[in-house]
Amino acid sequence: MDGDYLMPGTKRTSDDLMSQSPMVTNGTSPPHLSGSDNEAKKVKLEQSSANGPSRVVHIRSLPPDCTEADVVQLGLPYGKMSNVLLLKQKNQAFLEFLDEQAAVTMVSFHQQNPAQIRMRSVYVQFSNHKELKTDQANSFQNATAQAALQAASAVMGGPTEDGQKRTTLRIIVEHLVYPVGIEVLYQIFSKFGKVLKMIIFTKNNSFQALIQMSDPVAANAAKLSLDGQNIYNGCCTLRIDYSKLNNLNVKYNNDKSRDFTNPNLPSGDPGLDQAMPFGGPGSLVTPVVPGMGAAPLSAYGAANVVGGTPVYASNFSGNNSAQVSQMSSYGVPSPMGAARLMTLNAAAAAGNAVLLVSNLDEQKVTPDALFTLFGVYGDVHRVKILFNKKDNALVQMAEPHQAQLAIAHLDKVKVWGKSIRVTQSKHTLVQMPKEGQPDAGLTKDFTNSPLHRFKRPGSKNCQNIFPPSTVLHLSNIPPNIEEDFITEAFQEHGQVKAFKFFPKDRKMALIQMASVDEAVTALIAMHNYPLSDTNHLRVSFSKSTI
């Protein structure tokens, strides 16, 4: 505040306020402001008389991560609020009450009892202005301000049927085409308040998360704003409701669970991967921007540290719109929806492109089998089955987001009767054996394979990525091949329950196996199966039914 430290209750002149505040709004708070955007907004302030209180409270010295929900939570005990304005760049906020007496009570109380937001003391005083007015503008922050006020109204309406106010949300991410992890969700939900704990898991073939917020206002604001929104264009849709759990029991800080209030929790069993000396330049994971190769985070802008992992906190807006187009050209979707999550967040959260796959069947696993299975979710560049631990393998995908997609869909899936584990490796690449060094065929380079599914940008394969299912999609079938020929070939790998050619395109068909396990086995065995000299069968998982 450049030396302007006033005692609580002290008023400031209108000129003083205007010289340090980008804009003040009526019913909404401003968008992210930068450069010419600030100057383009015209502020209208209706000044109160020189003496006497106001129903608008001015709050200063806010912490950098303060949200509208935090400000509303501070005012919640004193009465109903009609407006909230957060000036993030100035560490200030304005809170407007419906009743002037509510503002008087709040200021009077905090003159004697310093207020705190996110463990930081803040200063509470009357504003020089009776109300906040500005031109309406559509922005993400407008939505968060209104959501915070609506959430406060809902909370003030009384407790839930069981007498408790909910702080824990249950999130289902539908149409999971691109990776969504703890860091990505943290950045989205922390815009509405403090995120305390988080657990992510897969249930009924869907990606789900439990997120515990610090207070009911933050939880309700996040639910109101984000439910039904897409994280990325046309996919990764958030479905949000309240969880019956009010307190999450988090024992480990890792890629599946996180207690943001206790960074000293163990990571759990680190697994074999962490102890292996094999390959890679070290255990430090350098985030990779798809299509750009490895680069330090600082090359793309300032980074914050969330739960020990560096992630991006800036957003693409205003003068940064060119960066969105640039990133889209690398094959990464431009983020949209209420979250306004920048593309690099997903890349940073994804880490490297190497996976550790464990609990494999030593007698059946081959590099080609893993290439086929993991190739459903991205282009596999290299595979290495570990010499001294043949039920473990390293799989290097072309890009980090493909590795995360494989984790989301294949972790704990049964392959050859065993539930495999798929996690991110500590290694950043799979090393090929030195020339002349015997390898027994355990390592294979598929970088230039003609069987990659996603090497063409905009390929339809990118839009048809589904979790393992009993129904398989078949394509590239020559016209002379009959149903019996195909079903007999598949019956060598399980029981065929149903088969159907596409009525308008006989080059494609659906085949249903008796179980997901058998469908996985059949896909590994039958993808690229020769149906003629020029036609090799293409097999993928389907969301359809027969």
Side-chain angles (χ1 to χ4, degrees), residues 163-486:
Q164 299 185 23
K165 296 183 187 263
R166 300 295 188 196
T167 59
T168 302
L169 300 171
R170 183 179 71 120
I171 293 89
I172 298 175
V173 182
E174 298 177 347
H175 311 301
L176 186 72
V177 176
Y178 293 94
V180 177
I182 283 180
E183 281 79 11
V184 171
L185 291 174
Y186 178 90
Q187 290 188 16
I188 296 171
F189 282 83
S190 63
K191 294 181 183 296
F192 299 91
K194 189 174 182 180
V195 178
L196 301 184
K197 301 175 184 178
M198 192 184 307
I199 299 172
I200 63 174
F201 55 95
T202 302
K203 184 178 181 181
N204 299 327
N205 282 331
S206 67
F207 177 94
Q208 299 190 27
L210 294 173
I211 300 179
Q212 182 180 340
M213 306 295 290
S214 60
D215 56 79
V217 173
N220 204 2
K223 181 178 181 296
L224 289 170
S225 288
L226 297 175
D227 186 32
Q229 296 288 343
N230 294 334
I231 299 176
Y232 298 107
N233 264 326
C235 65
C236 298
T237 306
L238 295 168
R239 301 297 180 194
I240 305 174
D241 57 16
Y242 285 110
S243 169
K244 294 181 180 179
L245 300 171
N246 260 348
N247 184 51
L248 298 181
N249 182 21
V250 175
K251 297 180 179 179
Y252 305 111
N253 283 336
N254 53 35
D255 62 343
K256 299 294 184 183
S257 62
R258 195 75 56 84
D259 185 340
F260 295 99
T261 67
N262 186 3
N264 297 320
L265 285 178
S267 60
D269 183 3
L272 295 168
D273 184 37
Q274 194 169 22
M276 287 191 305
F278 166 80
S283 61
L284 178 64
V285 174
T286 302
V288 176
V289 181
M292 296 180 70
L297 288 171
S298 57
Y300 305 106
N304 284 345
V305 175
V306 177
T309 302
V311 291
Y312 287 91
S314 55
N315 74 327
F316 278 158
S317 61
N319 296 331
N320 291 325
S321 59
Q323 292 175 275
V324 176
S325 300
Q326 182 186 25
M327 290 309 302
S328 296
S329 69
Y330 295 126
V332 184
S334 297
M336 62 170 295
R340 295 184 68 86
L341 179 67
M342 66 179 277
T343 305
L344 284 177
N345 285 344
N352 69 31
V354 180
L355 300 169
L356 172 70
V357 187
S358 55
N359 202 37
L360 293 160
D361 187 320
E362 295 184 30
Q363 304 302 317
K364 295 182 179 179
V365 65
T366 64
D368 287 283
L370 294 178
F371 168 79
T372 300
L373 178 59
F374 283 79
V376 174
Y377 301 106
D379 293 336
V380 177
H381 279 186
R382 291 178 177 179
V383 176
K384 183 179 188 70
I385 298 170
L386 302 187
F387 183 79
N388 294 322
K389 190 72 175 174
K390 290 186 174 62
D391 60 349
N392 280 246
L394 296 174
V395 177
Q396 182 177 330
M397 309 296 287
E399 296 180 353
H401 73 86
Q402 295 177 351
Q404 293 298 307
L405 205 56
I407 291 174
H409 289 309
L410 292 178
D411 184 37
K412 298 180 182 177
V413 167
K414 279 192 175 181
V415 181
W416 303 303
K418 301 181 71 174
S419 294
I420 66 170
R421 292 308 312 270
V422 184
T423 59
Q424 192 170 52
S425 172
K426 302 298 181 184
H427 306 298
T428 54
L429 67 109
V430 171
Q431 290 184 339
M432 297 299 295
K434 294 179 181 179
E435 188 174 350
Q437 180 180 343
D439 182 64
L442 297 177
T443 308
K444 193 167 181 178
D445 192 318
F446 296 95
T447 305
N448 298 316
S449 171
L451 300 178
H452 290 315
R453 298 174 187 252
F454 307 102
K455 59 184 177 181
R456 286 186 301 170
S459 166
K460 287 184 179 180
N461 292 332
C462 299
Q463 308 301 321
N464 295 302
I465 299 175
F466 305 108
S469 60
T470 58
V471 179
L472 299 171
H473 180 274
L474 313 180
S475 61
N476 205 33
I477 304 171
N480 62 318
I481 296 297
E482 299 296 333
E483 175 182 335
D484 289 346
F485 180 88
I486 298 175

